[in-house]
Amino acid sequence: MSRFGVLLVAIIGLSGCSLLDKMVYRIDIPQGNYLEQEDVDKLRVGMTEEQVIFVLGNPVAENSFDSDRWVYLYNMDPNSGKDFRKELVLTFNNKQLQDFKGDFDKPEDFDQPLDQ
């Protein structure tokens, strides 16, 4: 093969790398706790830790230093498109839910305890 032929094969091979990346299927990689707004809508101030676990499941990781703060994270690295991430941070006091913040709307009746 001539030098021109080798050079042509090299150029085609290098330019094809980006095309090859698009042709290779990458699996979507979900990690963490997948939550929807309807799950979060069930939360009420004063719920026990056990009640929260029943509604949302266990948080992704436990914090050894602050057991009154639970973090629910969900991250999706899709095959195509941009990454998707949601976070919910719950605050407890005396093992009862006090507040939350994150990427979800607070339910209208969050401040009404379940026993009322």
Side-chain angles (χ1 to χ4, degrees):
M1 188 182 302
S2 69
R3 289 183 184 174
F4 178 72
V6 172
L7 181 61
L8 183 61
V9 169
I11 290 172
I12 291 172
L14 291 175
S15 66
C17 289
S18 63
L19 178 62
L20 184 61
D21 287 342
K22 292 177 183 174
M23 292 174 42
V24 174
Y25 178 76
R26 289 185 326 131
I27 189 168
D28 294 342
I29 304 172
Q31 295 178 331
N33 301 95
Y34 180 76
L35 299 175
E36 297 212 16
Q37 184 64 50
E38 65 185 31
D39 301 319
V40 176
D41 288 343
K42 297 173 185 173
L43 296 177
R44 300 290 180 270
V45 69
M47 288 178 80
T48 66
E49 292 176 345
E50 292 82 14
Q51 289 171 320
V52 172
I53 290 171
F54 181 78
V55 171
L56 302 180
N58 288 308
V60 172
E62 293 185 24
N63 186 339
S64 302
F65 302 104
D66 188 2
S67 61
D68 289 337
R69 183 176 182 266
W70 291 10
V71 179
Y72 290 83
L73 289 172
Y74 179 75
N75 191 40
M76 169 66 86
D77 182 9
N79 184 28
S80 60
K82 65 179 195 173
D83 289 354
F84 176 79
R85 178 183 166 96
K86 288 251 185 177
E87 178 180 78
L88 178 68
V89 179
L90 305 180
T91 306
F92 290 86
N93 187 10
N94 292 325
K95 299 192 180 285
Q96 293 186 324
L97 182 61
Q98 294 302 304
D99 200 9
F100 76 84
K101 63 181 178 178
D103 298 318
F104 295 91
D105 296 327
K106 191 173 281 192
E108 291 180 17
D109 48 358
F110 175 78
D111 294 321
Q112 298 174 355
L114 287 175
D115 56 354
Q116 291 183 349

